Amino acid sequence: MEVKTSLLDNMIGVGDMVLIEPLSEDTFIENLKKRFDHNEIYTYIGSVVISMNPYKSLPIYTAEKVEEYRNRNFYELSPHIYALADEAYRSLRDQDKDQCILITGESGAGKTEASKFVMSYVAAVCGKGQEVNKVKEQLLQSNPVLEAFGNAKTVRNDNSSRFGKYMDIEFDFKGDPLGGVISNYLLEKSRVVKQPRGERNFHIFYQLLSGASDDTLKKLKLDRDFSKYNYLSLDSATVNGLDDAASFRTVRNAMQIVGFMEDEVQSVLELVAAVLKLGNIEFKPDDGCHISAPVCSGVLVCSVHFNYHSYHLFHGFSFIFLFLQDNSFEQFIINYCNEKLQQIFIELTLREEQEEYIREVSNSHLCLLFASFYQSFPFRAVIVGTETILKVIYVADFIIVVILNPTTVYHNAENYFSGLLIHLSTILVYICPLHVFCCLTVYHSLLNVVYVVMAPPTAGFQFRASVGTLMKNLLTKNPNYIRCIKPNDKKAAHIFTDSLVCHQARYLGLMENVRVRRAGYAFRQPYEPCLERYKMLCKQTWPHWKGPAREGVEVLLKNLQVPAEEFAFGRSKIFIRNPRMLFFLEEKRRQCLEDLATLIQKIYRGWKCRTHFLLLKKSQVVVAAWYRRFAQQKKYQNIRSSALVVQSFIRGWKVRRDYRKFFRANAGKKIYDFTIQRIMQKYFMGLKKTMPSMSPVDKSWPARPYGFLDGMHQDLRRIFHLWRCKKYRSQFTEEKKATYEEKLAASELFKDKKALYPSSVGQPFKGDYVEITKNPKYQKLNSLVEDKVLLADVVSKINRANGKVRTLSSVIFLLTKKSFVLADQKTGQVKASVPLLDLSSVSVSTQSDGFFALKLKEGSTSAAKGDFLLSSDRLIEIITKLHRIGAASADRNQINIDISDEFLVQFKQDKVCVKFIQGTPKNGNGVACKRKNNRLLEVSVPSP
């Protein structure tokens, strides 16, 4: 039987808030807290995902998790953001339904991270290919660019998004991404000129100053000192925990991936630099403007060109800056957009519930119920007129005041509304000055991008158009919701503030969403998984139901005597009205599983006992058979021994009879010759059966049966050994003969002298270990060596620099009849070439290490850089070949081999004593070098 996991299995608290019992605000918050304490940060409200920010990394976003949630039913596994992403992606791919995922929540709730998880999941499960991977990489790399120019550190969030983002991704019929369009909404522009205490400006300003190269900053005429720029908050800079330098490199790379040309990147950086410098400009009505910070002196003309001849232009520019610093219009439209999103969330949720009931149950009573519920649902959206007069909008128990002309109304607003304070608990005032165009100020800018971005439509017009487009988009797509909640204001893990979470749950309308789901039927599930989960509760459906799944569910519920008013049958789903009914089924299932477990244990124990009995019975039969065989063998041996005794007595009697018959006819000599003949025949036959192996190193030889054969026995042994040696030598080729000569030379040099030698006996001497003649990487290196390469291997080179001993990268060691060469392993470039005439001796230790020192003759040309201290696992072969080259050459002396645990090595001008000791290196089983002082290098070798 296939066992499937479920949302209800091993559940901490309640995984779906629709099933919480009893339903109240306290039980709602308590359930969130219980799951949060157990690192269960995701909870469902039907198909809506509630996401709690854990403020720590959790191991729930691995590749294994992606595969676990891939192509699975939404309620099949425990709540996860991957389940929603998979549901949306499969609906898009398989049913051709446009999808939208709406992620909402306040600053620090985890909206940005949630969007990254959704995108990374879709990127992981969609198709592969060069073009597809390129599109996926561009979509993923758009995040660092948007965050650099739109995110900032606030008191609530180190990476707070100060704008809304709508990403539209287009997929082909296979479900592979073709491209995407990203729209941003409601950027908090006022943060550029003023930040609250403890907060930062947008990331890009700090990233540019911290991560750009000195050459780039010089071209932009900027300084890394944050204190020289009025637009950067010193308080926030001192508490910054972000790695701005690394982030800048990431942003530059991401801009290239998403398609920015190099000149466009440079233009953007120049514009950012210009904005930084604008903060250091002071405006005065009498003499134009001047630059207040010395760092900007003579720099402004490189970024923005001003006309100093128009007084009104400076006045307008100053007014715009006042507008950016003091107005609350941005906050007003942000709140307005949030209310619109809340409205569309409620509307689409009700519509989705209503459509499902119409599609599944066709119950007009439920449709009317939801229609009336929708009319009574609280709605707080505000619409503001465009007239330049004061507007008052009453909402619930507070009032919103919108001031569109601050010069005429703002100073009288307090007196105007003082009478309303008696009746209303809250007055929200938004100051919205009229738009003053500043495009003429930058019309003559040297940068085209400045002209493009500084002459947009008004903020109100942009807001109205963009929000209208957003709402239109959302209404045409199948919605999916992620509601992000921050558990505390301290940005700390393991802290759950009930009041804060309760406040967010209220304004996100989560309780209302639960009530909408529970207004009709609290739980619904397709017939197939429902029958699969509860089929063991009925004998007719267990273990397999042969008919349609719906009929199986009907039989199951009828057998359990569930009241008809507690459920309803849809076209494809079973609808359960009360959560208590679901928990009743779960309790019955738990009890049934316990009974089934007991039954399985009983059957298993019976099977185990029967198997054990049959094994004992089989063993008894085998033992009896072996005993009977042993008894018959013993009886046979007794009979055979008795027969041999009788035969020997008969043969003895016949021999004695023949002896007496032939004794007088020279029978003694004949008997003697016959006996000797039989003895020799028996000796040679026995020798033939006990001959040793054909290996020349086999010293065994059969024992002689008689003392008088001793001389002949030894001669035969010597003759046999010479013969098998000749047979062994006849098999040798010239190449194999040379190899064994090298092995013999190695034995003479290192046997019983070097602990590394025994492990090298069984290893053949190949010579070329890097295939220098075949590998095209080393073709140039091979051509530089004039003589035939006798040995080519990768060794480690030990150098001394700045008074310290350090291990460099591995090098290639080449050995010819005239010289040895050290070359770079990656490039094949020759680092050193030393004639063997300049080599005086070789020093090695007695231990099992691979260190060896090539000591050069004093005064030789090669000795200028000092001796060579190398390490190789093939030390025996390298030094043997060096020694044989010297022995075979007539124009040079034989190279001395010094085997000692302490020797001197010349490093340029210094002599260092290399001392080998037995110990336990830090890496456990390797050889470790440690500098004790400037004159001593201690090598720790593992004890044998």
Side-chain angles (χ1 to χ4, degrees):
M1 181 183 67
E2 182 184 4
V3 178
K4 293 185 178 179
T5 57
S6 169
L7 170 71
L8 300 171
D9 288 331
N10 302 319
M11 186 168 56
I12 298 174
V14 178
D16 191 341
M17 288 293 189
V18 177
L19 304 177
I20 196 169
E21 191 70 21
L23 175 61
S24 66
E25 192 173 75
D26 292 338
T27 58
F28 187 95
I29 301 302
E30 181 61 29
N31 187 58
L32 285 178
K33 184 176 187 302
K34 183 176 182 180
R35 293 179 60 78
F36 177 79
D37 291 340
H38 289 82
N39 291 329
E40 294 288 342
I41 64 171
Y42 296 114
T43 307
Y44 291 156
I45 300 179
S47 60
V48 177
V49 176
I50 303 176
S51 173
M52 300 287 292
N53 192 342
Y55 291 113
K56 65 177 181 179
S57 298
L58 295 176
I60 59 174
Y61 308 104
T62 61
E64 291 77 12
K65 277 290 181 182
V66 171
E67 290 302 319
E68 182 180 349
Y69 281 86
R70 187 174 185 176
N71 295 328
R72 302 293 287 269
N73 184 275
F74 186 77
Y75 296 104
E76 191 172 341
L77 300 174
S78 59
H80 200 289
I81 195 172
Y82 284 171
L84 181 137
D86 185 76
E87 184 80 8
Y89 176 72
R90 286 194 290 117
S91 298
L92 173 75
R93 182 192 62 190
D94 302 336
Q95 303 177 22
D96 198 23
K97 293 182 179 179
D98 290 347
Q99 304 290 316
C100 69
I101 298 178
L102 189 62
I103 305 174
T104 57
E106 70 173 65
S107 179
K111 300 184 295 297
T112 301
E113 291 301 311
S115 65
K116 292 179 182 178
F117 292 142
V118 172
M119 290 185 63
S120 63
Y121 180 86
V122 174
V125 300
C126 65
K128 303 294 187 292
Q130 184 175 359
E131 290 299 323
V132 174
N133 290 339
K134 180 180 179 181
V135 173
K136 290 194 294 186
E137 185 65 16
Q138 288 179 332
L139 292 174
L140 293 174
Q141 290 299 324
S142 64
N143 279 322
V145 179
L146 292 173
E147 291 177 9
F149 290 88
N151 287 27
K153 181 186 183 300
T154 67
V155 293
R156 295 187 173 188
N157 189 356
D158 287 343
N159 190 31
S160 177
S161 300
R162 311 312 300 162
F163 70 105
K165 178 174 66 174
Y166 180 81
M167 175 175 287
D168 198 338
I169 305 176
E170 182 178 357
F171 294 81
D172 63 8
F173 68 96
K174 302 188 300 295
D176 296 338
L178 297 177
V181 177
I182 300 175
S183 305
N184 63 80
Y185 300 89
L186 312 177
L187 177 65
E188 187 188 26
K189 299 176 182 178
S190 59
R191 181 169 291 271
V192 174
V193 297
K194 183 178 181 181
Q195 307 92 40
R197 183 175 181 83
E199 297 190 357
R200 299 204 320 172
N201 206 331
F202 292 106
H203 292 330
I204 186 61
F205 298 108
Y206 303 92
Q207 292 171 348
L208 176 62
L209 297 181
S210 301
S213 64
D214 294 337
D215 183 58
T216 300
L217 292 180
K218 185 177 180 181
K219 290 180 181 179
L220 298 176
K221 296 182 174 58
L222 294 175
D223 196 299
R224 295 194 192 276
D225 188 359
F226 293 171
S227 64
K228 295 182 179 180
Y229 301 97
N230 294 334
Y231 281 174
L232 300 184
S233 170
L234 289 179
D235 292 337
S236 62
T238 57
V239 298
N240 173 29
L242 301 174
D243 189 351
D244 292 319
S247 299
F248 179 75
R249 293 189 291 270
T250 302
V251 171
R252 284 294 301 265
N253 182 61
M255 292 176 74
Q256 294 176 353
I257 292 176
V258 299
F260 280 76
M261 304 301 292
E262 187 59 35
D263 58 336
E264 293 175 334
V265 175
Q266 186 62 28
S267 297
V268 171
L269 297 182
E270 291 176 1
L271 179 58
V272 173
V275 172
L276 274 177
K277 297 165 188 174
L278 285 175
N280 291 30
I281 297 177
E282 289 184 357
F283 295 90
K284 294 184 178 180
D286 53 350
D287 58 353
C289 71
H290 71 275
I291 295 157
S292 62
V295 71
C296 295
S297 178
V299 175
L300 188 59
V301 72
C302 298
S303 299
V304 181
H305 179 74
F306 290 95
N307 184 352
Y308 288 106
H309 300 293
S310 173
Y311 166 79
H312 298 287
L313 184 59
F314 294 133
H315 180 74
F317 202 81
S318 176
F319 186 78
I320 289 297
F321 269 59
L322 176 64
F323 164 76
L324 290 174
Q325 291 177 5
D326 295 336
N327 84 97
S328 302
F329 181 65
E330 288 176 339
Q331 188 61 48
F332 167 71
I333 61 177
I334 288 173
N335 290 344
Y336 175 74
C337 184
N338 287 337
E339 295 296 342
K340 291 291 289 183
L341 291 175
Q342 179 72 2
Q343 177 192 15
I344 200 172
F345 166 70
I346 298 165
E347 181 178 343
L348 293 178
T349 300
L350 290 171
R351 187 177 71 182
E352 182 183 6
E353 284 290 298
Q354 194 163 324
E355 288 177 352
E356 182 172 25
Y357 282 115
I358 294 174
R359 182 175 61 252
E360 291 284 342
V361 185
S362 299
N363 190 325
S364 59
H365 172 72
L366 287 173
C367 298
L368 293 174
L369 179 134
F370 277 107
S372 62
F373 192 83
Y374 173 73
Q375 294 296 330
S376 64
F377 201 92
F379 172 59
R380 303 189 301 272
V382 180
I383 301 177
V384 183
T386 58
E387 296 86 353
T388 59
I389 60 175
L390 179 140
K391 290 287 183 180
V392 180
I393 301 95
Y394 292 91
V395 180
D397 61 345
F398 62 91
I399 187 172
I400 294 178
V401 180
V402 182
I403 301 175
L404 298 178
N405 193 339
T407 59
T408 60
V409 182
Y410 179 67
H411 297 292
N412 299 322
E414 183 177 357
N415 295 329
Y416 187 88
F417 294 105
S418 60
L420 295 176
L421 292 176
I422 301 175
H423 308 289
L424 300 173
S425 60
T426 305
I427 292 183
L428 302 180
V429 179
Y430 295 94
I431 307 169
C432 306
L434 294 176
H435 177 74
V436 180
F437 292 95
C438 62
C439 57
L440 293 177
T441 308
V442 293
Y443 181 77
H444 297 289
S445 170
L446 301 180
L447 296 177
N448 290 332
V449 68
V450 175
Y451 174 76
V452 173
V453 302
M454 291 299 289
T458 64
F461 181 84
Q462 281 183 311
F463 159 71
R464 184 177 62 183
S466 61
V467 172
T469 303
L470 174 63
M471 300 305 163
K472 184 178 180 181
N473 273 334
L474 294 179
L475 288 171
T476 59
K477 294 175 173 57
N478 185 48
N480 302 273
Y481 305 101
I482 302 174
R483 315 292 262 174
C484 298
I485 295 178
K486 58 188 299 186
N488 60 79
D489 278 328
K490 298 181 180 179
K491 298 181 284 188
H494 310 296
I495 298 178
F496 188 96
T497 306
D498 294 33
S499 58
L500 177 63
V501 175
C502 181
H503 172 70
Q504 296 173 81
R506 286 175 180 173
Y507 74 69
L508 288 174
L510 300 184
M511 287 291 294
E512 288 78 5
N513 189 218
V514 176
R515 293 190 180 102
V516 167
R517 292 279 297 194
R518 291 170 63 115
Y521 293 92
F523 184 77
R524 70 285 314 263
Q525 190 176 32
Y527 291 119
E528 289 78 7
C530 180
L531 181 62
E532 182 68 25
R533 185 168 183 84
Y534 302 113
K535 63 182 180 180
M536 72 283 298
L537 303 181
C538 177
K539 292 183 179 180
Q540 290 90 330
T541 58
W542 176 260
H544 300 291
W545 173 256
K546 300 297 178 63
R550 172 171 176 167
E551 295 180 4
V553 174
E554 290 177 355
V555 170
L556 174 66
L557 295 179
K558 183 177 180 180
N559 182 268
L560 293 174
Q561 298 180 355
V562 178
E565 62 271 11
E566 290 294 332
F567 61 90
F569 291 105
R571 289 186 174 87
S572 62
K573 298 178 180 179
I574 175 69
F575 289 77
I576 297 176
R577 182 178 300 278
N578 199 303
R580 288 193 297 271
M581 186 65 230
L582 181 66
F583 295 136
F584 164 75
L585 293 176
E586 283 295 308
E587 179 62 23
K588 295 284 289 184
R589 179 178 181 270
R590 186 188 64 80
Q591 295 174 359
C592 188
L593 288 177
E594 291 180 356
D595 296 339
L596 288 175
T598 304
L599 178 62
I600 292 172
Q601 289 176 352
K602 180 180 71 174
I603 296 175
Y604 171 75
R605 292 191 184 103
W607 171 84
K608 187 175 181 181
C609 290
R610 286 193 301 273
T611 303
H612 183 65
F613 168 75
L614 293 175
L615 182 62
L616 290 177
K617 183 178 179 181
K618 183 179 179 181
S619 301
Q620 186 269 335
V621 173
V622 172
V623 170
W626 276 90
Y627 175 76
R628 286 193 293 269
R629 176 185 175 187
F630 168 76
Q632 291 298 323
Q633 285 179 340
K634 188 174 183 181
K635 182 178 179 181
Y636 167 76
Q637 292 294 339
N638 292 333
I639 295 173
R640 185 173 182 272
S641 299
S642 301
L644 290 176
V645 171
V646 173
Q647 288 176 357
S648 63
F649 273 103
I650 293 174
R651 290 191 189 99
W653 173 78
K654 287 183 178 180
V655 170
R656 288 192 297 272
R657 185 190 65 180
D658 292 341
Y659 174 75
R660 286 193 298 268
K661 181 178 179 181
F662 298 106
F663 180 74
R664 298 184 182 273
N666 200 17
K669 185 175 183 307
K670 292 182 180 180
I671 293 173
Y672 175 78
D673 292 339
F674 176 78
T675 304
I676 293 299
Q677 182 181 359
R678 293 298 299 271
I679 289 174
M680 295 300 294
Q681 184 181 9
K682 185 177 180 181
Y683 168 68
F684 284 116
M685 292 301 295
L687 192 63
K688 178 183 178 181
K689 295 179 181 180
T690 58
M691 290 291 285
S693 66
M694 293 298 292
S695 174
V697 296
D698 189 355
K699 297 182 180 180
S700 62
W701 185 250
R704 54 178 173 78
Y706 305 102
F708 71 92
L709 296 175
D710 185 59
M712 184 178 64
H713 192 70
Q714 295 299 328
D715 290 339
L716 287 174
R717 180 178 184 180
R718 180 177 57 82
I719 293 171
F720 174 77
H721 179 68
L722 293 175
W723 174 75
R724 70 180 175 183
C725 288
K726 181 180 179 182
K727 294 288 286 184
Y728 188 78
R729 289 195 301 271
S730 65
Q731 301 174 5
F732 281 14
T733 61
E734 290 298 326
E735 182 180 357
K736 194 171 183 180
K737 183 178 179 182
T739 301
Y740 275 89
E741 288 176 353
E742 283 189 343
K743 284 288 185 178
L744 181 61
S747 175
E748 294 173 352
L749 288 174
F750 297 106
K751 185 177 181 181
D752 300 329
K753 300 176 184 177
K754 176 72 174 171
L756 186 65
Y757 170 73
S759 63
S760 70
V761 172
Q763 300 176 359
F765 289 173
K766 291 172 56 178
D768 187 2
Y769 293 94
V770 297
E771 297 184 344
I772 191 169
T773 58
K774 299 178 182 179
N775 195 334
K777 181 179 178 181
Y778 304 122
Q779 192 173 19
K780 182 178 179 181
L781 176 62
N782 187 36
S783 62
L784 294 176
V785 181
E786 298 179 356
D787 297 332
K788 177 182 177 182
V789 176
L790 301 178
L791 185 139
D793 193 14
V794 178
V795 301
S796 297
K797 181 183 176 185
I798 314 300
N799 280 347
R800 179 180 175 87
N802 299 326
K804 297 181 178 180
V805 175
R806 58 190 175 94
T807 303
L808 299 181
S809 59
S810 300
V811 298
I812 297 177
F813 181 84
L814 302 180
L815 178 63
T816 67
K817 290 184 178 181
K818 295 182 180 180
S819 63
F820 67 86
V821 177
L822 297 179
D824 187 87
Q825 184 184 6
K826 295 181 179 178
T827 63
Q829 183 179 359
V830 176
K831 290 189 173 182
S833 180
V834 180
L836 294 183
L837 290 173
D838 293 348
L839 185 62
S840 63
S841 63
V842 180
S843 295
V844 298
S845 73
T846 64
Q847 308 294 329
S848 59
D849 61 281
F851 282 85
F852 63 97
L854 300 178
K855 298 184 177 181
L856 304 180
K857 295 179 181 178
E858 295 184 1
S860 63
T861 306
S862 304
K865 294 184 179 180
D867 299 336
F868 294 91
L869 181 58
L870 308 175
S871 176
S872 173
D873 293 337
R874 301 183 179 90
L875 175 146
I876 302 297
E877 181 178 357
I878 294 174
I879 297 180
T880 300
K881 289 185 183 294
L882 274 172
H883 186 266
R884 283 175 56 80
I885 291 172
S889 178
D891 58 348
R892 68 174 68 94
N893 295 328
Q894 186 169 325
I895 299 173
N896 294 326
I897 309 299
D898 178 25
I899 302 178
S900 174
D901 285 342
E902 189 172 339
F903 52 80
L904 295 176
V905 178
Q906 183 75 34
F907 282 111
K908 290 187 179 180
Q909 304 300 326
D910 301 328
K911 282 190 176 182
V912 176
C913 177
V914 182
K915 186 176 181 180
F916 294 82
I917 62 171
Q918 291 185 356
T920 304
K922 292 182 178 179
N923 56 6
N925 56 1
V927 178
C929 299
K930 185 177 182 181
R931 179 178 65 87
K932 304 300 288 186
N933 52 56
N934 290 339
R935 301 295 182 182
L936 177 61
L937 172 64
E938 195 173 84
V939 181
S940 298
V941 182
S943 301

